[in-house]
Every structure is written in C-alpha cells, then in structure tokens.
mmCIF file of all heavy atoms in Angstrom:
data_model
loop_
_atom_site.group_PDB
_atom_site.id
_atom_site.type_symbol
_atom_site.label_atom_id
_atom_site.label_comp_id
_atom_site.label_asym_id
_atom_site.label_seq_id
_atom_site.Cartn_x
_atom_site.Cartn_y
_atom_site.Cartn_z
ATOM 1 N N MET A 2 -37.812 -219.045 212.369
ATOM 2 C CA MET A 2 -36.360 -219.129 212.066
ATOM 3 C C MET A 2 -35.905 -217.801 211.423
ATOM 4 O O MET A 2 -34.820 -217.324 211.792
ATOM 5 C CB MET A 2 -36.066 -220.276 211.178
ATOM 6 C CG MET A 2 -36.240 -221.634 211.789
ATOM 7 S SD MET A 2 -35.756 -222.963 210.698
ATOM 8 C CE MET A 2 -33.978 -222.778 210.671
ATOM 9 N N GLY A 3 -36.722 -217.284 210.494
ATOM 10 C CA GLY A 3 -36.309 -215.996 209.853
ATOM 11 C C GLY A 3 -36.223 -214.855 210.884
ATOM 12 O O GLY A 3 -35.289 -214.041 210.774
ATOM 13 N N LEU A 4 -37.109 -214.821 211.825
ATOM 14 C CA LEU A 4 -37.000 -213.815 212.801
ATOM 15 C C LEU A 4 -35.637 -213.935 213.560
ATOM 16 O O LEU A 4 -35.007 -212.892 213.885
ATOM 17 C CB LEU A 4 -38.119 -213.951 213.903
ATOM 18 C CG LEU A 4 -39.554 -213.667 213.391
ATOM 19 C CD1 LEU A 4 -40.569 -214.040 214.463
ATOM 20 C CD2 LEU A 4 -39.750 -212.242 212.973
ATOM 21 N N GLY A 5 -35.228 -215.137 213.893
ATOM 22 C CA GLY A 5 -33.993 -215.329 214.541
ATOM 23 C C GLY A 5 -32.761 -215.028 213.640
ATOM 24 O O GLY A 5 -31.763 -214.388 214.143
ATOM 25 N N MET A 6 -32.864 -215.431 212.411
ATOM 26 C CA MET A 6 -31.704 -215.190 211.463
ATOM 27 C C MET A 6 -31.509 -213.661 211.270
ATOM 28 O O MET A 6 -30.372 -213.240 211.154
ATOM 29 C CB MET A 6 -31.967 -215.815 210.153
ATOM 30 C CG MET A 6 -31.850 -217.360 210.206
ATOM 31 S SD MET A 6 -32.383 -218.180 208.717
ATOM 32 C CE MET A 6 -32.192 -219.872 209.175
ATOM 33 N N GLY A 7 -32.633 -212.924 211.242
ATOM 34 C CA GLY A 7 -32.466 -211.433 211.059
ATOM 35 C C GLY A 7 -31.753 -210.804 212.235
ATOM 36 O O GLY A 7 -31.237 -209.728 212.105
ATOM 37 N N GLY A 8 -31.797 -211.439 213.398
ATOM 38 C CA GLY A 8 -31.103 -210.923 214.543
ATOM 39 C C GLY A 8 -29.812 -211.581 214.940
ATOM 40 O O GLY A 8 -29.304 -211.304 215.979
ATOM 41 N N THR A 9 -29.257 -212.343 213.913
ATOM 42 C CA THR A 9 -27.999 -213.087 214.255
ATOM 43 C C THR A 9 -26.868 -212.693 213.434
ATOM 44 O O THR A 9 -25.875 -212.168 213.956
ATOM 45 C CB THR A 9 -28.295 -214.601 214.076
ATOM 46 O OG1 THR A 9 -29.402 -215.028 214.936
ATOM 47 C CG2 THR A 9 -27.036 -215.431 214.473
ATOM 48 N N MET A 10 -26.887 -212.967 212.142
ATOM 49 C CA MET A 10 -25.692 -212.879 211.280
ATOM 50 C C MET A 10 -25.097 -211.500 211.241
ATOM 51 O O MET A 10 -23.901 -211.262 211.536
ATOM 52 C CB MET A 10 -25.988 -213.354 209.865
ATOM 53 C CG MET A 10 -24.768 -213.327 208.960
ATOM 54 S SD MET A 10 -25.100 -213.965 207.319
ATOM 55 C CE MET A 10 -25.346 -215.685 207.632
ATOM 56 N N MET A 11 -25.961 -210.491 210.953
ATOM 57 C CA MET A 11 -25.361 -209.111 210.753
ATOM 58 C C MET A 11 -24.949 -208.484 212.095
ATOM 59 O O MET A 11 -23.895 -207.783 212.133
ATOM 60 C CB MET A 11 -26.343 -208.263 210.007
ATOM 61 C CG MET A 11 -26.705 -208.723 208.568
ATOM 62 S SD MET A 11 -25.314 -209.458 207.671
ATOM 63 C CE MET A 11 -24.373 -207.938 207.346
ATOM 64 N N PRO A 12 -25.722 -208.740 213.167
ATOM 65 C CA PRO A 12 -25.171 -208.153 214.526
ATOM 66 C C PRO A 12 -23.800 -208.776 214.866
ATOM 67 O O PRO A 12 -22.955 -208.059 215.400
ATOM 68 C CB PRO A 12 -26.229 -208.603 215.484
ATOM 69 C CG PRO A 12 -27.482 -208.643 214.673
ATOM 70 C CD PRO A 12 -27.106 -209.130 213.368
ATOM 71 N N ILE A 13 -23.599 -210.047 214.535
ATOM 72 C CA ILE A 13 -22.318 -210.648 214.782
ATOM 73 C C ILE A 13 -21.252 -209.994 213.955
ATOM 74 O O ILE A 13 -20.131 -209.662 214.515
ATOM 75 C CB ILE A 13 -22.325 -212.184 214.509
ATOM 76 C CG1 ILE A 13 -23.260 -212.860 215.552
ATOM 77 C CG2 ILE A 13 -20.896 -212.731 214.628
ATOM 78 C CD1 ILE A 13 -23.430 -214.352 215.294
ATOM 79 N N MET A 14 -21.514 -209.754 212.740
ATOM 80 C CA MET A 14 -20.506 -209.034 211.836
ATOM 81 C C MET A 14 -20.284 -207.612 212.317
ATOM 82 O O MET A 14 -19.158 -207.160 212.267
ATOM 83 C CB MET A 14 -21.016 -209.089 210.382
ATOM 84 C CG MET A 14 -20.943 -210.389 209.697
ATOM 85 S SD MET A 14 -21.312 -210.271 207.950
ATOM 86 C CE MET A 14 -20.958 -211.903 207.427
ATOM 87 N N THR A 15 -21.309 -206.998 212.732
ATOM 88 C CA THR A 15 -21.210 -205.650 213.257
ATOM 89 C C THR A 15 -20.247 -205.615 214.454
ATOM 90 O O THR A 15 -19.348 -204.793 214.576
ATOM 91 C CB THR A 15 -22.577 -205.055 213.727
ATOM 92 O OG1 THR A 15 -23.414 -205.014 212.592
ATOM 93 C CG2 THR A 15 -22.428 -203.688 214.314
ATOM 94 N N SER A 16 -20.408 -206.558 215.363
ATOM 95 C CA SER A 16 -19.546 -206.624 216.547
ATOM 96 C C SER A 16 -18.140 -206.906 216.161
ATOM 97 O O SER A 16 -17.233 -206.369 216.762
ATOM 98 C CB SER A 16 -20.079 -207.756 217.506
ATOM 99 O OG SER A 16 -19.205 -207.938 218.569
ATOM 100 N N ALA A 17 -17.946 -207.742 215.083
ATOM 101 C CA ALA A 17 -16.586 -208.077 214.686
ATOM 102 C C ALA A 17 -15.819 -206.873 214.125
ATOM 103 O O ALA A 17 -14.657 -206.689 214.326
ATOM 104 C CB ALA A 17 -16.629 -209.155 213.633
ATOM 105 N N LEU A 18 -16.548 -206.011 213.371
ATOM 106 C CA LEU A 18 -15.873 -204.877 212.622
ATOM 107 C C LEU A 18 -15.905 -203.571 213.433
ATOM 108 O O LEU A 18 -15.136 -202.680 213.105
ATOM 109 C CB LEU A 18 -16.516 -204.656 211.243
ATOM 110 C CG LEU A 18 -16.459 -205.884 210.290
ATOM 111 C CD1 LEU A 18 -17.249 -205.492 209.061
ATOM 112 C CD2 LEU A 18 -15.022 -206.172 209.977
ATOM 113 N N LYS A 19 -16.707 -203.536 214.394
ATOM 114 C CA LYS A 19 -16.922 -202.200 215.058
ATOM 115 C C LYS A 19 -15.709 -201.624 215.717
ATOM 116 O O LYS A 19 -15.425 -200.378 215.662
ATOM 117 C CB LYS A 19 -18.049 -202.321 216.170
ATOM 118 C CG LYS A 19 -18.360 -200.986 216.850
ATOM 119 C CD LYS A 19 -19.560 -201.190 217.774
ATOM 120 C CE LYS A 19 -20.803 -201.203 216.986
ATOM 121 N NZ LYS A 19 -22.004 -201.231 217.885
ATOM 122 N N THR A 20 -14.819 -202.421 216.261
ATOM 123 C CA THR A 20 -13.636 -201.851 216.983
ATOM 124 C C THR A 20 -12.362 -201.858 216.163
ATOM 125 O O THR A 20 -11.276 -201.741 216.762
ATOM 126 C CB THR A 20 -13.442 -202.726 218.334
ATOM 127 O OG1 THR A 20 -13.264 -204.075 217.992
ATOM 128 C CG2 THR A 20 -14.578 -202.545 219.295
ATOM 129 N N LEU A 21 -12.529 -202.132 214.841
ATOM 130 C CA LEU A 21 -11.344 -202.118 213.951
ATOM 131 C C LEU A 21 -11.065 -200.639 213.482
ATOM 132 O O LEU A 21 -11.948 -199.841 213.362
ATOM 133 C CB LEU A 21 -11.546 -203.005 212.741
ATOM 134 C CG LEU A 21 -11.743 -204.485 213.015
ATOM 135 C CD1 LEU A 21 -11.852 -205.176 211.695
ATOM 136 C CD2 LEU A 21 -10.560 -205.027 213.863
ATOM 137 N N THR A 22 -9.799 -200.362 213.293
ATOM 138 C CA THR A 22 -9.451 -199.009 212.754
ATOM 139 C C THR A 22 -9.788 -198.938 211.260
ATOM 140 O O THR A 22 -10.078 -199.967 210.574
ATOM 141 C CB THR A 22 -7.952 -198.739 212.967
ATOM 142 O OG1 THR A 22 -7.192 -199.617 212.111
ATOM 143 C CG2 THR A 22 -7.557 -198.877 214.400
ATOM 144 N N HIS A 23 -9.646 -197.735 210.727
ATOM 145 C CA HIS A 23 -9.945 -197.472 209.250
ATOM 146 C C HIS A 23 -9.102 -198.426 208.484
ATOM 147 O O HIS A 23 -9.608 -199.043 207.456
ATOM 148 C CB HIS A 23 -9.652 -196.031 208.978
ATOM 149 C CG HIS A 23 -9.822 -195.656 207.500
ATOM 150 N ND1 HIS A 23 -11.055 -195.304 207.003
ATOM 151 C CD2 HIS A 23 -8.966 -195.671 206.448
ATOM 152 C CE1 HIS A 23 -10.936 -195.065 205.703
ATOM 153 N NE2 HIS A 23 -9.636 -195.313 205.381
ATOM 154 N N HIS A 24 -7.784 -198.572 208.776
ATOM 155 C CA HIS A 24 -6.948 -199.392 207.915
ATOM 156 C C HIS A 24 -7.198 -200.831 208.065
ATOM 157 O O HIS A 24 -6.968 -201.626 207.166
ATOM 158 C CB HIS A 24 -5.499 -199.084 208.325
ATOM 159 C CG HIS A 24 -4.463 -199.802 207.539
ATOM 160 N ND1 HIS A 24 -4.217 -199.581 206.186
ATOM 161 C CD2 HIS A 24 -3.643 -200.851 207.854
ATOM 162 C CE1 HIS A 24 -3.291 -200.398 205.757
ATOM 163 N NE2 HIS A 24 -2.952 -201.178 206.694
ATOM 164 N N GLU A 25 -7.737 -201.289 209.241
ATOM 165 C CA GLU A 25 -7.971 -202.662 209.532
ATOM 166 C C GLU A 25 -9.312 -203.280 208.911
ATOM 167 O O GLU A 25 -9.472 -204.435 208.832
ATOM 168 C CB GLU A 25 -7.965 -202.918 211.017
ATOM 169 C CG GLU A 25 -6.652 -202.710 211.692
ATOM 170 C CD GLU A 25 -6.780 -202.803 213.266
ATOM 171 O OE1 GLU A 25 -7.891 -202.585 213.716
ATOM 172 O OE2 GLU A 25 -5.742 -203.033 213.891
ATOM 173 N N VAL A 26 -10.136 -202.325 208.507
ATOM 174 C CA VAL A 26 -11.481 -202.760 208.083
ATOM 175 C C VAL A 26 -11.418 -203.627 206.866
ATOM 176 O O VAL A 26 -12.097 -204.741 206.764
ATOM 177 C CB VAL A 26 -12.384 -201.470 207.801
ATOM 178 C CG1 VAL A 26 -13.581 -201.939 207.041
ATOM 179 C CG2 VAL A 26 -12.773 -200.900 209.137
ATOM 180 N N ALA A 27 -10.645 -203.297 205.799
ATOM 181 C CA ALA A 27 -10.499 -204.093 204.610
ATOM 182 C C ALA A 27 -10.017 -205.553 204.984
ATOM 183 O O ALA A 27 -10.516 -206.501 204.499
ATOM 184 C CB ALA A 27 -9.618 -203.455 203.584
ATOM 185 N N ARG A 28 -8.993 -205.539 205.826
ATOM 186 C CA ARG A 28 -8.411 -206.894 206.214
ATOM 187 C C ARG A 28 -9.391 -207.661 207.067
ATOM 188 O O ARG A 28 -9.509 -208.887 206.927
ATOM 189 C CB ARG A 28 -7.094 -206.635 206.976
ATOM 190 C CG ARG A 28 -6.075 -205.844 206.225
ATOM 191 C CD ARG A 28 -5.704 -206.491 204.865
ATOM 192 N NE ARG A 28 -4.731 -205.790 204.116
ATOM 193 C CZ ARG A 28 -3.467 -206.068 204.007
ATOM 194 N NH1 ARG A 28 -2.999 -207.156 204.601
ATOM 195 N NH2 ARG A 28 -2.713 -205.387 203.235
ATOM 196 N N GLY A 29 -10.120 -206.966 207.978
ATOM 197 C CA GLY A 29 -11.076 -207.652 208.812
ATOM 198 C C GLY A 29 -12.245 -208.242 208.009
ATOM 199 O O GLY A 29 -12.657 -209.383 208.280
ATOM 200 N N SER A 30 -12.749 -207.457 207.003
ATOM 201 C CA SER A 30 -13.842 -207.989 206.251
ATOM 202 C C SER A 30 -13.412 -209.114 205.362
ATOM 203 O O SER A 30 -14.184 -210.052 205.088
ATOM 204 C CB SER A 30 -14.477 -206.885 205.366
ATOM 205 O OG SER A 30 -13.502 -206.302 204.484
ATOM 206 N N THR A 31 -12.171 -209.079 204.822
ATOM 207 C CA THR A 31 -11.641 -210.218 204.104
ATOM 208 C C THR A 31 -11.532 -211.477 204.931
ATOM 209 O O THR A 31 -11.928 -212.560 204.491
ATOM 210 C CB THR A 31 -10.227 -209.815 203.555
ATOM 211 O OG1 THR A 31 -10.318 -208.717 202.686
ATOM 212 C CG2 THR A 31 -9.658 -211.012 202.806
ATOM 213 N N LEU A 32 -11.095 -211.314 206.181
ATOM 214 C CA LEU A 32 -10.995 -212.481 207.071
ATOM 215 C C LEU A 32 -12.311 -213.093 207.334
ATOM 216 O O LEU A 32 -12.542 -214.354 207.306
ATOM 217 C CB LEU A 32 -10.389 -212.016 208.390
ATOM 218 C CG LEU A 32 -10.156 -213.046 209.502
ATOM 219 C CD1 LEU A 32 -9.105 -214.040 209.008
ATOM 220 C CD2 LEU A 32 -9.601 -212.371 210.787
ATOM 221 N N LEU A 33 -13.394 -212.257 207.556
ATOM 222 C CA LEU A 33 -14.682 -212.733 207.800
ATOM 223 C C LEU A 33 -15.315 -213.489 206.582
ATOM 224 O O LEU A 33 -15.939 -214.501 206.698
ATOM 225 C CB LEU A 33 -15.667 -211.576 208.175
ATOM 226 C CG LEU A 33 -15.548 -211.028 209.593
ATOM 227 C CD1 LEU A 33 -16.403 -209.770 209.745
ATOM 228 C CD2 LEU A 33 -15.900 -211.999 210.606
ATOM 229 N N ASN A 34 -15.061 -212.975 205.397
ATOM 230 C CA ASN A 34 -15.530 -213.622 204.195
ATOM 231 C C ASN A 34 -14.889 -214.896 203.920
ATOM 232 O O ASN A 34 -15.531 -215.818 203.394
ATOM 233 C CB ASN A 34 -15.458 -212.625 202.999
ATOM 234 C CG ASN A 34 -16.580 -211.658 202.939
ATOM 235 O OD1 ASN A 34 -17.648 -211.948 202.343
ATOM 236 N ND2 ASN A 34 -16.412 -210.529 203.586
ATOM 237 N N ILE A 35 -13.592 -214.957 204.133
ATOM 238 C CA ILE A 35 -12.957 -216.301 204.007
ATOM 239 C C ILE A 35 -13.486 -217.304 204.908
ATOM 240 O O ILE A 35 -13.771 -218.493 204.616
ATOM 241 C CB ILE A 35 -11.367 -216.184 204.209
ATOM 242 C CG1 ILE A 35 -10.721 -215.415 203.028
ATOM 243 C CG2 ILE A 35 -10.743 -217.509 204.437
ATOM 244 C CD1 ILE A 35 -9.292 -215.087 203.269
ATOM 245 N N LEU A 36 -13.699 -216.857 206.202
ATOM 246 C CA LEU A 36 -14.289 -217.746 207.245
ATOM 247 C C LEU A 36 -15.635 -218.255 206.819
ATOM 248 O O LEU A 36 -16.001 -219.405 206.928
ATOM 249 C CB LEU A 36 -14.393 -217.018 208.551
ATOM 250 C CG LEU A 36 -15.042 -217.767 209.689
ATOM 251 C CD1 LEU A 36 -14.054 -218.675 210.358
ATOM 252 C CD2 LEU A 36 -15.628 -216.805 210.685
ATOM 253 N N GLN A 37 -16.473 -217.373 206.315
ATOM 254 C CA GLN A 37 -17.844 -217.706 205.877
ATOM 255 C C GLN A 37 -17.805 -218.714 204.755
ATOM 256 O O GLN A 37 -18.611 -219.654 204.659
ATOM 257 C CB GLN A 37 -18.645 -216.479 205.461
ATOM 258 C CG GLN A 37 -19.306 -215.784 206.626
ATOM 259 C CD GLN A 37 -20.309 -214.733 206.063
ATOM 260 O OE1 GLN A 37 -19.844 -213.729 205.531
ATOM 261 N NE2 GLN A 37 -21.524 -214.987 206.163
#
C-alpha cells in the first residue's frame, strides 16, 4: 500500500498545479487544501 501511496497523492497534486500561472498558484494550493 505504501508503494502505491507514494505514487498517488503527490503526482496528482503536481498535475493539478503544473498548468497554473504564477498568480494562480496560491489560490490553487488553497483550493486543494480545502478539498483535502
């Protein structure tokens, strides 16, 4: 399970934030943390 977890959560977050602009990053990370 740990092997799978290591390859799940952070890659998903990476995908979520990768295409945001500099100004959008703070708002995007806030959105993700509220969701979590």
Side-chain angles (χ1 to χ4, degrees):
M2 290 185 70
L4 293 175
M6 289 173 183
T9 302
M10 182 178 291
M11 300 320 291
I13 293 174
M14 288 188 174
T15 299
S16 176
L18 297 177
K19 181 173 286 187
T20 56
L21 298 183
T22 66
H23 177 87
H24 182 70
E25 292 172 338
V26 165
R28 302 303 178 103
S30 59
T31 299
L32 183 62
L33 284 174
N34 276 271
I35 289 176
L36 175 83
Q37 275 191 288

